[in-house]
Amino acid sequence: MNEEIPHGDWAPDWVPDAGFQLRLAGVHFDALRIQGQLGEETAQELCRLTDYDAGPIVYELNGYRWMYFLLPPGTAREHSWPSYTQRYTSRTRYASAYVGVPALYGTTWPLAWRSVPTRTAPFVDPGTLEKAFA
């Protein structure tokens, strides 16, 4: 899936060196979560719109196959998203929200990168993500 996206040696400090780590949404990033095929279609369109420098998108390899679009902290609540999306921020209702973040390399099952963070796109741009829904 992410074979078209260059893997550099750079990564934000919230990306683990190995395996995967749970990160608190709203601290390192906000996240927008979309299930299954809708998530994949959104990721494809976002990658197309950004010439395959979309920023960090994590997906689950099992279960509901959620796709997580990692946005700059504090930005998910500033936008209107389709009803089938879920926002994870520092103000997620009823509980703290943690998102699994895989390492760039090695075994990270059940998580993988659909698009990695880069120096030019350390986060998914919320405005461009909105365009991907159109």
Side-chain angles (χ1 to χ4, degrees), residues 7 32 42 59 72 80 91-92:
H7 292 266
L32 195 69
T42 303
Y59 68 100
S80 294
R91 295 183 171 178
T92 301

Side-chain angles (χ1 to χ4, degrees), residues 25-26 29-35 38-40 42-43 46 56-59 65-72 75-89 92 97 99 124-133:
F29 49 77
D30 284 358
L32 195 69
R33 182 172 95 157
I34 306 171
Q35 185 178 353
L38 288 171
E40 178 57 33
T42 303
L46 181 64
I57 305 170
V58 175
Y59 68 100
R65 299 189 180 268
W66 294 105
M67 191 82 60
Y68 296 85
F69 298 82
L70 307 184
L71 310 170
T75 60
R77 297 185 70 76
E78 298 172 354
H79 298 268
S80 294
W81 306 108
S83 61
Y84 54 84
T85 64
Q86 297 174 344
R87 286 181 283 193
Y88 293 109
T89 71
T92 301
V99 175
V124 169
D125 177 69
T128 307
L129 182 57
E130 279 185 316
K131 291 176 187 172
F133 291 117

Side-chain angles (χ1 to χ4, degrees), residues 3-72:
E3 64 277 353
E4 301 170 31
I5 297 161
H7 292 266
D9 291 329
W10 179 86
D13 61 0
W14 43 264
V15 174
D17 292 332
F20 67 88
Q21 295 283 316
L22 295 177
R23 300 291 190 218
L24 183 61
V27 174
H28 302 287
F29 49 77
D30 284 358
L32 195 69
R33 182 172 95 157
I34 306 171
Q35 185 178 353
Q37 188 61 34
L38 288 171
E40 178 57 33
E41 290 169 3
T42 303
Q44 286 176 357
E45 181 61 12
L46 181 64
C47 287
R48 187 190 67 75
L49 289 171
T50 61
D51 197 26
Y52 296 91
D53 192 19
I57 305 170
V58 175
Y59 68 100
E60 292 180 357
L61 300 169
N62 63 347
Y64 292 110
R65 299 189 180 268
W66 294 105
M67 191 82 60
Y68 296 85
F69 298 82
L70 307 184
L71 310 170

